[in-house]
Structure formats: C-alpha cells, structure tokens
Amino acid sequence: MEQLDVLTEYGDYTGKTATRDECHAKGLWHRACSAFIIDTEGNVLLQLRSKDKKTDPLKWDAPVAGHIDAGEWGRETIARETKEELGVEISDDDIKYYCGTTSERLMPGIVEHHFNEYYIITKNIDLN
C-alpha cells in the first residue's frame, strides 16, 4: 500500500508517513502532482475521469496525476504515472515544472489537504 509523506500546513516534512486513505480521512497535508501533455503543434491532451472516481467523476482533467509517494520527487511521480496511466515512457527532458499550489477540499468522508505540483510534458504521443 502506498505511503505518503505527511507534511505540516507550511509544507515541512514531519518524518511521518500515512496511506492516501489515512491522509484524506484525517485531513493530513501531503503532496500530489499533475501533468498536462502538449504536443509540438500545441494540442493539449485531456482525459475524462471515470464515473467511479470519488472526486470529480466525469470531469475533464490532466491525463497524468497522482500522489507523490514517500521519499519520491514530483518528477519521478510524473514519469511513473505516465507509464502506468498511458503506457508511455518519458524522459526527464520531456518534463518541465510549471507551478505549485496548495488546495483544501472538504467532501463527505474526504478532507483533501494537498501541496500540488504541476508539470508540462512536451511530447508527441500516439494513443491509437
């Protein structure tokens, strides 16, 4: 089961880890990341979230996203998630850091406290 680094509300590492479910149940601060894929013609790849997702079902979203595992860097997560979600290998040169934000969302049974990292992947990807 994936373990996430637990952070303070200021983004400092606490030295503790927790599962994603524990983080969301207890409102623990942790890290997540997303990446948009833009090809050389300026087209942006999006994905329609599954109707079975707990958050934002059937909404358009970044095609690559995930929680950053304990001890992992955001760029590593983006490369891993791109392979897992799209079956596409990317190199570190394909990934550019865009910005970071914090987000807080309260939903029934879920309290999200995220430190978000956003990336741009510049690559021509054939998904056919």
Side-chain angles (χ1 to χ4, degrees), residues 75-99:
R75 297 174 78 82
E76 293 174 291
T77 301
I78 292 301
R80 176 175 49 79
E81 292 287 344
T82 302
K83 178 66 175 167
E84 288 175 8
E85 295 179 16
L86 301 176
V88 174
E89 297 270 351
I90 60 171
S91 72
D92 196 54
D93 290 338
D94 296 325
I95 306 168
K96 303 291 182 247
Y97 177 78
Y98 182 69
C99 69

Side-chain angles (χ1 to χ4, degrees), residues 1 4-5 8 13 16 29-31 37 45 62 66 79-80 87 93 112 114 123-124 127:
M1 183 168 290
L4 310 177
D5 287 313
T8 69
Y13 288 84
K16 298 177 183 176
W29 284 94
H30 57 287
R31 298 167 48 220
I37 300 173
L45 179 65
R80 176 175 49 79
D93 290 338
E112 280 188 353
H114 285 171
K123 190 170 184 78
N124 291 328
L127 296 175

Side-chain angles (χ1 to χ4, degrees), residues 49-114:
R49 291 174 63 85
S50 165
K51 66 178 175 50
D52 300 322
K53 286 293 203 178
K54 291 180 185 176
T55 58
D56 302 319
L58 296 175
K59 291 189 179 178
W60 291 101
D61 200 0
V64 178
H67 285 81
I68 300 172
D69 289 345
E72 191 172 51
W73 293 100
R75 297 174 78 82
E76 293 174 291
T77 301
I78 292 301
R80 176 175 49 79
E81 292 287 344
T82 302
K83 178 66 175 167
E84 288 175 8
E85 295 179 16
L86 301 176
V88 174
E89 297 270 351
I90 60 171
S91 72
D92 196 54
D93 290 338
D94 296 325
I95 306 168
K96 303 291 182 247
Y97 177 78
Y98 182 69
C99 69
T101 65
T102 59
S103 63
E104 297 182 76
R105 290 195 325 171
L106 305 174
M107 296 163 281
I110 299 174
V111 179
E112 280 188 353
H113 284 140
H114 285 171

